[in-house]
Structures are given as C-alpha cells and as structure tokens.
Amino acid sequence: EAGVVQSPRYKIIEKKQPVAFWCNPISGHNTLYWYRQNLGQGPELLIRYENEEAVDDSQLPKDRFSAERLKGVDSTLKIQPAELGDSAVYLCASNGKGEAGTIYNEQFFGPGTRLTVL
Amino acid sequence: KNQVEQNPQSLIILEGKNCTLQCNYTVSPFSNLRWYKQDTGRGPVSLTIMTFSENTKSNGRYTATLDADTKQSSLHITASQLSDSASYICVVSVDSNYQLIWGAGTKLIIKP
C-alpha cells in the first residue's frame, strides 16, 4: 500500500513569490492534515480536513496561506506571497477511522516539502 | 498551557549501547502518548502509542514507559544500531485524538 505522497520534495523561491504544495493521502483516509515543521521543532498543525471540509484551520495564517481539498482526496496548500519566515518543512498526514478495539487514530506522514525562501 | 518537554535535546552514543530518552508533559485532558521516530528528510513514523492505563509498550528494540501520575514517559532503546540515528519526538494527544501536542524532539546520533 502506498503511503502519503507529497510533491515537490524541495522548493526554493524568492520572497514575495507564490508557492504551492500537493498531497495525496493514503487511499481511504478521510482525515488529512497539513503541518509546518521548523528546524529542531515538532510539527505545528496548520489545517485539518474531514473529507472536503476544513474542520480546524485556527492555526492557518489566512492572510497568506490557503488550502483546498476539493474532492475529499488530494489537497493543496498555497502561500502567497511567501516571506522569509515561511522557510520550513511542510508535512502532510492522513488517518482513517480507528480500528475496532482502539481508541486512537494513528496519523501517517508524508516525507514533507522543504521550502526555502530567499 | 498544554506542553510537552523532552530531554536531552541531543545525545550521542556508541553503536551497541543502550539509551533512554525522557518526556514530561502537562496536557489535559490526556488521551494517549505517542513516540515518533523522524529520520532526516522524512516524515515522523509512529513507534508506540500508549493510553492512560498502559504503563509500558514495546516495539522491537524500543520500549516506552508511561507514568500517568507523574506525567512522565521514557523511550528506551536497546542495543542501538546506526539506523537508530534520528529525532525521537514525544507527542501527547488531547481527548479529541486529533489535537496533538508535540515535543521538540531528541536528536540521537549513533556512532560506530
């Protein structure tokens, strides 16, 4: 079974330019997450989707960040315009419903997109 | 404020040796505690997940412990291998299971 797929793996842009990241979650996973991870830190949640609905976007800087998951499968995260402080790794994760007998939902992560803003 | 603290920040040990990583948390309400391994340039991969009632769980050479009274957890690695070089992140789930409080991680380097 394929894992979470993200592209591109690396992106270098100049400040004020737009950038977009793409994520394909594990087949059948209804919940999709976008995280940002700064060097030496744990991931910070940006947005969580249940199918095509953004159910938690409280940490998404909405002045410059946007996300969509139109058909409840793939998702894109966009930054426009990018700032120097946006340099980080952007991780996508997904999970399905918890297996019978468990009370937790394990998240599966993609490899991330490393963004460098010059 | 919900927080997860890990120590040490970094650790270097020789191949074949054992080590223990520590995690302290102040998270309420508590649902479960997870340890993730993150290789350089990769996404985190789950090692163990423990609920309130579990105080130890193993995954191969990795053994996690949980003391819910003192709000501490540890990850013990036995007979370390070069491939264990990675960041190990302690994560506590708030009751919804979707809100995860992440530690900053311990960067472990195994030297031959």
Side-chain angles (χ1 to χ4, degrees):
Chain A
E1 178 184 297
V4 177
V5 179
Q6 290 188 247
S7 70
R9 290 296 313 276
Y10 306 92
K11 190 73 176 179
I12 300 174
I13 61 172
E14 293 189 346
K15 63 181 180 182
K16 300 185 182 180
Q17 294 300 305
V19 64
F21 314 124
W22 174 81
C23 172
N24 179 241
I26 291 173
S27 178
H29 279 190
N30 298 326
T31 308
L32 183 146
Y33 311 77
W34 282 102
Y35 289 89
R36 175 170 59 191
Q37 186 175 25
N38 293 308
L39 190 64
Q41 300 293 319
E44 303 170 89
L45 179 68
L46 293 173
I47 190 168
R48 172 169 70 91
Y49 281 93
E50 291 291 342
N51 299 304
E52 64 273 11
E53 182 182 359
V55 295
D56 183 358
D57 63 356
S58 57
Q59 302 302 313
L60 189 72
K62 298 181 184 62
D63 56 336
R64 298 182 299 107
F65 286 65
S66 65
E68 61 182 13
R69 194 185 184 199
L70 291 176
K71 296 183 179 179
V73 180
D74 295 359
S75 178
T76 57
L77 177 69
K78 298 177 182 178
I79 308 175
Q80 182 171 11
E83 297 179 351
L84 295 176
D86 295 332
S87 294
V89 174
Y90 290 83
L91 293 165
C92 179
S94 70
N95 68 255
K97 294 191 182 299
E99 295 178 1
T102 67
I103 58 171
Y104 49 77
N105 294 314
E106 182 176 353
Q107 296 183 21
F108 296 86
F109 286 81
T113 296
R114 179 175 294 277
L115 174 67
T116 301
V117 182
L118 303 176
Chain B
K1 179 183 176 184
N2 288 330
Q3 271 188 318
V4 174
E5 295 182 349
Q6 292 187 245
N7 59 80
Q9 276 191 321
S10 61
L11 181 64
I12 302 173
I13 64 171
L14 293 176
E15 184 180 12
K17 298 296 186 182
N18 304 334
C19 67
T20 299
L21 314 180
Q22 301 290 345
C23 171
N24 300 314
Y25 62 92
T26 52
V27 175
S28 180
F30 174 91
S31 176
N32 56 72
L33 185 144
R34 314 168 185 213
W35 282 94
Y36 281 87
K37 178 186 180 188
Q38 186 172 23
D39 292 311
T40 300
R42 313 282 294 195
V45 174
S46 178
L47 293 175
T48 63
I49 302 177
M50 289 183 291
T51 61
F52 185 89
S53 60
E54 298 172 296
N55 54 26
T56 186
K57 185 165 279 190
S58 292
N59 178 358
R61 295 179 296 102
Y62 301 102
T63 299
T65 65
L66 173 63
D67 186 333
D69 291 332
T70 62
K71 299 187 177 181
Q72 296 180 324
S73 176
S74 66
L75 181 69
H76 186 75
I77 304 175
T78 304
S80 61
Q81 300 176 358
L82 296 179
S83 59
D84 292 332
S85 294
S87 287
Y88 292 83
I89 310 176
C90 177
V91 187
V92 179
S93 176
V94 186
D95 65 353
S96 69
N97 271 321
Y98 295 109
Q99 184 182 358
L100 302 181
I101 310 300
W102 294 76
T106 292
K107 186 173 177 63
L108 177 65
I109 298 173
I110 310 297
K111 290 202 164 184

